[in-house]
Amino acid sequence: MTTTIVPGTQDLSEGSLGTALLDIERRDLSTARRHLAQATARGVSAGRNASLFHGAPALEFVLTRAHGAGDDVRAAVDRVVDARLAAVRRRQAAGSLPHLAEWDLIRGLTGLAALLLDRRPIAPRLPDVLACLVALAHPVRGNGRMLPGWWSAVGPDGKDMAGGHGNNGMAHGIAGPLAVLSIALRCGVRVPGQEEAVATFASWLERHGAHYWTNAARLDAAQPPPAEPARQSWCYGQPGIARAQQLAALALGDSDRRRLAEDSVEALLTDPLRLARISDSTLCHGWAGLLVLTRAVSADSVAPARFTPIIQDLHRRLVANWERLPKPGFMEGRAGAQLALSETDITGWTRALLLT
């Protein structure tokens, strides 16, 4: 028996919605309309799996790039946000640890906050979403001890993990809330405790950010052990974390943290051993993501010229490899690589990566 796999057309990462981002950035609206029609042909999801990268929120994000999100789409997103907020409150009342999908960028409240920040006037639900992310900075009791408020009982693979873990990356870890709370502060949007939460998350990542995630043993160590060599990328690793730290520094006016974040990006992306571990051209974990990230870091740096050789090198590597990508989409495919090569962000598409 042969099973036909239907493409996830409402998936911003790989489906037609993500491809439409490239069309809109190029001002090719006729092609964008065709891709949007493909994405919405069977309706739009506003269910439990709806997020910045799937369903109604993903559709609003793409339509907003073309200044075209209507009241019906926004109302569907508002229902998604209300359901997520209610679920968080139930979980908090039960005193249980959160799942990564509750609050991360790809599936959770961090992504929804990034989306709502684009609305004008400011979305009424945005303060409640930000407040839930701020609450992650408050320690919680779990496994008979006090743990960081974002500690998850399940591992990055979604399976139970002995002692749980604290995820550090931009896509699924605490660097995501750090980035979006910092961006909100820079946009003049703040809720009680937001600056303190930014400082808490930033301090955690200063201590633990060399690792993709922190397990119970590392949490108990007097000093976290040195990280083993690993691929450095936007989604996981120190480059994404460094951009989040730079955003935090800009939000808090912390020149020392800003300098350290920028020094980190320069050191990481001029190290041949680290660069040798990067094996593809995608936005998520390859050359395209690092190129867009470095441009964002450079644009906010007091010394942008230091990043010019790095940007040129990353651009060269991406040009040489992007056409080999087997997928057509945004996060892991050719559309995302072409967006990086375009050297523009006219539509603000990099907000999906929390780089701007």
Side-chain angles (χ1 to χ4, degrees), residues 145 207-208 214-225:
R145 59 180 298 181
R207 178 177 171 82
H208 295 281
T214 301
N215 58 24
R218 292 175 189 156
L219 186 65
D220 292 333
Q223 287 293 330

Side-chain angles (χ1 to χ4, degrees), residues 7 44-45 65 74-75 78 105 123 125 130 141 153 155 161 168 178 207 225 232 257 267 295 305 323 327 341:
V44 180
S45 172
R65 305 311 110 190
R74 291 187 174 192
D78 288 344
L105 170 62
R125 290 164 175 79
L130 295 178
R141 180 164 291 279
M161 182 177 186
N168 297 326
L178 174 61
R207 178 177 171 82
Q232 300 297 318
R257 178 171 284 130
R295 286 199 194 109
E323 290 181 298
K327 296 180 180 180
L341 286 172

Side-chain angles (χ1 to χ4, degrees), residues 257-316:
R257 178 171 284 130
R258 181 179 182 175
R259 176 180 53 79
L260 288 171
E262 294 173 13
D263 289 350
S264 176
V265 171
E266 183 178 27
L268 290 164
L269 298 183
T270 55
D271 182 341
L273 294 178
R274 288 186 169 94
L275 293 174
R277 292 183 174 273
I278 301 165
S279 58
D280 69 44
S281 299
T282 64
L283 280 177
C284 189
H285 40 251
W287 301 119
L290 292 172
L291 175 58
V292 178
L293 182 152
T294 307
R295 286 199 194 109
V297 170
S298 176
D300 283 328
S301 174
V302 294
R306 69 193 289 202
F307 297 102
T308 300
I310 299 172
I311 290 169
Q312 292 171 339
D313 179 55
L314 293 171
H315 187 274
R316 177 183 59 79

Side-chain angles (χ1 to χ4, degrees), residues 83-356:
R84 291 299 190 91
L85 291 172
V88 172
R89 289 165 184 146
R90 289 194 296 271
R91 192 267 305 164
Q92 291 171 332
S96 56
L97 295 173
H99 191 285
L100 299 182
E102 174 186 302
W103 53 264
D104 74 8
L105 170 62
I106 303 298
R107 299 165 294 175
L109 290 177
T110 294
L112 294 175
L115 173 64
L116 295 179
L117 270 169
D118 276 341
R119 289 192 185 177
R120 295 293 180 271
I122 293 297
R125 290 164 175 79
L126 178 58
D128 289 338
V129 174
L130 295 178
C132 286
L133 297 176
V134 166
L136 296 173
H138 303 152
V140 295
R141 180 164 291 279
N143 302 327
R145 59 180 298 181
M146 297 306 294
L147 295 166
W150 62 92
W151 199 262
S152 175
V154 300
D157 60 359
K159 299 178 181 178
D160 286 344
M161 182 177 186
H165 86 296
N167 204 288
N168 297 326
M170 184 73 96
H172 296 294
I174 202 60
L178 174 61
V180 81
L181 290 172
S182 300
I183 291 169
L185 286 172
R186 297 185 75 194
C187 292
V189 182
R190 52 178 31 87
V191 297
Q194 190 167 338
E195 289 91 342
E196 293 82 358
V198 166
T200 294
F201 300 151
S203 296
W204 168 272
L205 289 170
E206 284 176 358
R207 178 177 171 82
H208 295 281
H211 296 272
Y212 282 2
W213 54 78
T214 301
N215 58 24
R218 292 175 189 156
L219 186 65
D220 292 333
Q223 287 293 330
E228 296 180 2
R231 181 185 63 201
Q232 300 297 318
S233 62
W234 164 80
C235 61
Y236 268 113
Q238 291 168 281
I241 289 171
R243 175 54 176 168
Q245 292 280 38
Q246 187 193 34
L247 288 168
L250 292 165
L252 300 179
D254 187 336
S255 58
D256 289 338
R257 178 171 284 130
R258 181 179 182 175
R259 176 180 53 79
L260 288 171
E262 294 173 13
D263 289 350
S264 176
V265 171
E266 183 178 27
L268 290 164
L269 298 183
T270 55
D271 182 341
L273 294 178
R274 288 186 169 94
L275 293 174
R277 292 183 174 273
I278 301 165
S279 58
D280 69 44
S281 299
T282 64
L283 280 177
C284 189
H285 40 251
W287 301 119
L290 292 172
L291 175 58
V292 178
L293 182 152
T294 307
R295 286 199 194 109
V297 170
S298 176
D300 283 328
S301 174
V302 294
R306 69 193 289 202
F307 297 102
T308 300
I310 299 172
I311 290 169
Q312 292 171 339
D313 179 55
L314 293 171
H315 187 274
R316 177 183 59 79
R317 293 174 187 270
L318 181 56
V319 166
N321 291 286
W322 76 269
E323 290 181 298
R324 301 175 191 172
L325 290 171
K327 296 180 180 180
F330 175 58
M331 288 295 284
E332 297 187 2
R334 297 184 298 277
Q338 289 173 279
L339 278 165
L341 286 172
S342 72
E343 302 185 30
T344 66
D345 189 16
I346 298 167
T347 61
W349 66 268
T350 57
R351 176 60 59 83
L353 307 178
L354 284 184
L355 295 176
T356 57

